[in-house]
Amino acid sequence: MTALSANLQAVRERIDQACRQAGRNPASVSLLAVSKTFPAESVAALAAAGQHAFGENYVQEGCGKVEALAALKLDWHFIGPLQSNKSRLVAQHFQWVHSVDRLKIAQRLSEQRAAHHAPLNVCIQVNVSGEASKSGAAPESVESLALEVAALPRLRLRGLMAIPEPSDDVAVLRGRFAQLRELRDTLNERYGLALDTLSMGMSSDLDLAIAEGASIVRVGTAIFGTRTAGTP
Ligand SMILES: *Cc1c(COP(=O)(O)O)cnc(C)c1O
């Protein structure tokens, strides 16, 4: 077994373990392998080991891998900050965008999503830690944004995503994840939406996120190893 597939196996076991502890079905949590800064060859090796969904943060780099590996029919998720002038490339190359944080980006993605593709799956990124510097919609603006995004024709609003501020305090982190879940539940109950996705949890905290209801965990370092600072 290669190092990559051994890491993948270990992460899958961690997910199963967290599901058992939370009394959840492991099939209710999917693993998004975050391949940013790592080459297409590494993605191909993981695909051969059975991993199907990959996450990218940078538009140019991500589109390059999507094109290079088109024959493998993988699922590609865009998870990074998205500028308006790059939205078309994302709408053309990816099946999912986790980082919608304002209406303008959602409108552009909807307009730019080609009719021959399935609607683009999107999550609204929520700034659960309330830091001015971090991206994500403010929690109090999420209800109105979600209703507007849900009405766009070429998008399918699937749920919410968050990247809580790192904390050594497990209770604080759990509280952030719980906040995202409660927000999602409110949207479903109050407005009749059918949001099935909570994209939360990374290498260091996926277990806590699963305990609070994560349906997609986004894992980079624990699969690919440490990223070199500043790349690409
Ligand atoms: C890089 C990244 C991840 C993966 O983080 P790791 O700590 O390496 O697992 C997950 N989500 C987003 C949005 C990221 O940018």
Side-chain angles (χ1 to χ4, degrees):
M1 206 178 347
T2 66
L4 277 177
S5 59
N7 290 348
L8 177 66
Q9 185 62 26
V11 168
R12 289 209 179 118
E13 279 164 19
R14 227 176 115 191
I15 291 171
D16 286 356
Q17 172 75 13
C19 284
R20 272 196 298 279
Q21 271 167 8
R24 297 186 55 194
N25 180 350
S28 68
V29 178
S30 54
L31 171 60
L32 182 65
V34 178
S35 44
K36 64 180 177 206
T37 80
F38 291 96
E41 292 71 34
S42 302
V43 173
L46 284 164
Q51 177 63 25
H52 203 73
F54 293 87
E56 289 285 335
N57 281 58
Y58 309 103
V59 175
Q60 234 72 29
E61 182 200 349
C63 291
K65 284 178 229 177
V66 172
E67 287 172 9
L69 299 171
L72 297 182
K73 305 257 181 268
L74 302 172
D75 284 337
W76 291 96
H77 296 229
F78 188 80
I79 62 173
L82 184 49
Q83 295 161 354
S84 296
N85 61 354
K86 303 268 178 70
S87 63
R88 184 178 299 277
L89 282 169
V90 170
Q92 287 169 340
H93 287 80
F94 288 81
Q95 283 86 45
W96 282 74
V97 177
H98 292 223
S99 45
V100 169
D101 60 356
R102 57 199 190 280
L103 183 60
K104 184 183 169 201
I105 279 288
Q107 286 169 331
R108 288 180 66 96
L109 289 169
S110 181
E111 283 160 15
Q112 293 164 344
R113 182 69 170 175
H116 65 275
H117 283 136
L120 186 62
N121 296 293
V122 301
C123 293
I124 292 176
Q125 183 175 350
V126 184
N127 183 352
V128 288
S129 304
E131 302 156 279
S133 60
K134 278 263 177 74
S135 42
E140 58 275 14
S141 70
V142 169
E143 290 190 24
S144 59
L145 180 58
L147 293 175
E148 289 171 311
V149 171
L152 292 170
R154 302 294 300 140
L155 303 187
R156 184 163 167 222
L157 180 62
R158 297 293 299 268
L160 304 178
M161 181 273 238
I163 314 170
E165 177 185 13
S167 171
D168 295 332
D169 188 337
V170 167
V172 168
L173 267 180
R174 261 193 96 133
R176 304 297 191 206
F177 292 136
Q179 189 190 345
L180 198 72
R181 172 172 43 76
E182 286 158 12
L183 204 49
R184 192 272 312 263
D185 292 346
T186 300
L187 288 168
N188 284 346
E189 286 157 17
R190 198 173 287 170
Y191 303 104
L193 298 178
L195 307 184
D196 60 5
T197 301
L198 283 175
S199 167
M200 58 189 197
M202 318 201 298
S203 294
S204 61
D205 56 16
L206 67 90
D207 324 80
L208 286 175
I210 287 170
E212 290 297 342
S215 64
I216 300 179
V217 290
R218 308 178 310 269
V219 180
T221 309
I223 297 174
F224 289 92
T226 309
R227 290 179 293 275
T228 314
T231 47

